[in-house]
Amino acid sequence: MRFADLQEADAFLAAHPEVQSFELFVIDPCGVPRGKLLRREELRAVYQSGRPLPSSILGLTIRGEDVDATGLVWDVADADCWAFPLPGSLALQTWRAQPTAQLQVSMHPSHGLPASVADPRHVLARQVTALQAEGYRPVMAAELEFYLLDRQRDAAGRPQPARQANGVRPQAPQVYGVLELEQLAPFLDDLYAACAAQNLPARTAISEYAPGQVEITLEHRTDALQAMDEAVRYKRLVRGVAHKHGHQACFMAKPFGELAGSGLHLHVSLADAAGNNLFASEEPTGTPLLRQAIGGLLETLDDGLAVFCPNANSFRRLQANSYAPLAKSWGVNNRTVSLRVPGGPAAGRHIEHRICGADANPYLAAALLLAGIRRGLREGLDPGAPIDGNGYAQARETLPTDWLSALRALERSAWAREALGADFHRVYLAIKQEEYRQFMAEVGEQDWRWYLGHA
C-alpha cells in the first residue's frame, strides 16, 4: 500500500493559501465516504504521522449505525486506527461556498488495525497484486448512471426529476437527447470543471433512458486501483456539484419502479508487462483468455451478487427489457446480457460487466470481478456460446432476484471468503445482515396500501 508524501501537502498549501478547510474521508464497506473536516494547520500532520479514526467507522450500516457483530465496536473498545493519505487525492472541492479541499485516506495495513481488515480498498489491492503476480495487469474503467433530482419532493412525497435550465421538468426519457444535455449545461459545465480541478478523467455525457437520468464515462486506466479511486471520488463530486445547483444526485439502483434503473458498468481487460492487451483480437469474441475470463465471471456471479447488488433496492433493477441484466449470460455487442464484449477496434477488445447497480461499492465490485477472472484463467473455464439476439427472451439461468438469497450465497461461498479475505467477508456480512433485519422490520406506506383494509 503506497501513501502520499509530505511534499504533496506542502506544494498544495503553497499553491492554495485561500484554502482553510480540508474534508478527510475514507470509503466504508457500503461505499459511503466518512471522515472529518480538518483545519489548514492540521494537514501536514496527516502526511507525517497519519490521522486516527475510530475502528467503528468501517463497521457501520448505510444509515451510519454501529454493527456490533463486525467486531469493530465494543469488542475492540472503538479503538483509534491510523489512516494515511492516498497519492493524488488532495484536490479542491470547487462546489463549496468557502475554499475547501478534500483528501482521501486509507487504513494503514498494520497501524490501522483492527479497522484495516474492513477497508474495501485493501480488498481490491490484494486482487490486483495477485493478478500481477500471475503476469497480468488489469486495465479498468467505470461508467456510472445517476438521476438528477430536485431536493424538494412532489405533492405526494415522491422524488422528482430536477427542472432543466429552461424551467421545465422533464417527463419523457429522450434517451441520447442533445437538447436535454444542453438544458443541463450549467450543471454539466460545473461538473466538468470540478473533474478537471480533481484530475478526474470525465469524458462522454449521455442523456440516459429516463427523465433526469445521466451517464458520464470515465477513462480506462492501466492501474485498476486508480480507476476505482477515481470512481469513488467522482461520485462524491457529482453529489457536491448537484447540491450546489439545488439538486440531489441519486445513485440508487432503482429509484422509480416504472423507469430505468441506474448501473455501474465496469470495463476490464488484461495487459502484459509491456502493456499489450491480452484480449485483443480481430475475432469479435476475443482471445481464448478473454473467454476464460468470462467463464470465471459467470461461474462466480451468484456468489458475488450481494456485493454487485448490495441493497434491497438493488434487486428491483434486475428486470427484463430494462437494459439491466437478468441472466448469467454473455454476448458480443449486445446490451441484453450481463457480460458484454463491446464492438470496436481489435486493440480495444474488453469485457463490460453490466451487473452492478450504481449503489455498489466500486472497490468491492472490482475486487470480485478480478477474482472471478482469476478463477476463470486458473481453471480454463469455458463460458459456452455467446447469446445472439435478445438475451432476455433466451434467458436460461436467471439471477437471484432477492437480497436474502444473495446474502446466503455470499455467506456460504468459500470462493467469496477467499476473494474478499475472511475478515472482510465476516464484517461485510455482519453489516448487510443487520441492514436486512432492519429493512424487513420497517412497516411503511406500501404495507398499508396493500394490506391495511384487506388482510
Side-chain angles (χ1 to χ4, degrees), residues 74-337:
W74 310 125
D75 290 352
V76 294
D78 201 9
D80 275 342
C81 306
W82 267 257
F84 287 78
L86 298 177
S89 68
L90 180 56
L92 293 172
Q93 291 186 330
T94 58
W95 59 87
R96 299 289 283 258
Q98 297 297 319
T100 304
Q102 70 180 37
L103 175 67
Q104 186 180 352
V105 298
S106 183
M107 290 294 172
H108 191 281
S110 56
H111 302 314
L113 289 171
S116 58
V117 303
D119 189 328
R121 193 175 188 273
H122 289 246
V123 178
L124 176 55
R126 288 195 295 269
Q127 288 301 324
V128 171
T129 298
L131 269 173
Q132 289 174 339
E134 295 164 4
Y136 306 111
R137 293 181 59 189
V139 177
M140 294 196 70
E143 290 179 348
L144 274 159
E145 298 167 336
F146 63 93
Y147 276 85
L148 196 62
L149 306 177
D150 265 353
R151 289 209 296 265
Q152 300 297 320
R153 305 287 181 89
D154 68 13
R158 285 169 45 96
Q160 56 185 340
R163 293 186 185 276
Q164 300 172 142
N166 60 6
V168 174
R169 195 181 309 284
Q171 300 295 321
Q174 294 297 356
V175 64
Y176 303 120
V178 292
L179 177 61
E180 282 61 38
L181 293 177
E182 179 183 331
Q183 290 300 319
L184 289 176
F187 166 74
L188 290 176
D189 288 348
D190 275 359
L191 188 150
Y192 279 114
C195 285
Q198 296 197 1
N199 198 31
L200 297 180
R203 298 296 180 255
T204 305
I206 300 168
S207 174
E208 268 292 349
Y209 198 63
Q213 192 184 36
V214 180
E215 178 189 83
I216 294 178
T217 60
L218 297 174
E219 193 172 275
H220 286 250
R221 295 299 200 189
T222 57
D223 180 341
L225 264 176
Q226 178 186 1
M228 295 307 109
D229 285 340
E230 290 171 346
V232 300
R233 292 170 200 164
Y234 169 76
K235 286 184 75 171
R236 175 70 187 92
L237 179 152
V238 172
R239 288 191 170 103
V241 175
H243 183 79
K244 175 185 175 181
H245 284 261
H247 307 319
Q248 180 180 25
C250 172
F251 289 92
M252 281 178 65
K254 190 74 170 177
F256 303 101
E258 70 280 11
L259 299 177
S262 293
L264 163 63
H265 297 166
L266 295 173
H267 296 253
V268 63
S269 60
L270 297 180
D272 62 19
N276 300 305
N277 182 3
L278 298 173
F279 290 172
S281 172
E282 294 294 341
E283 168 60 44
T285 56
T287 61
L289 200 72
L290 181 149
R291 292 190 290 276
Q292 290 173 10
I294 290 176
L297 292 172
L298 293 174
E299 180 71 19
T300 57
L301 180 50
D302 284 356
D303 289 3
L305 197 61
V307 168
F308 302 138
C309 299
N311 304 308
N313 177 262
S314 309
F315 292 87
R316 299 188 188 278
R317 174 175 161 267
L318 306 182
Q319 299 179 13
N321 306 318
S322 67
Y323 293 103
L326 184 66
K328 295 169 68 172
S329 57
W330 77 286
V332 177
N333 197 16
N334 189 334
R335 287 186 170 86
T336 69
V337 297

Side-chain angles (χ1 to χ4, degrees), residues 49-64:
S49 54
R51 181 76 185 196
L53 296 172
S55 57
S56 59
I57 199 170
L58 294 183
L60 302 171
T61 68
I62 199 166
R63 290 160 53 89

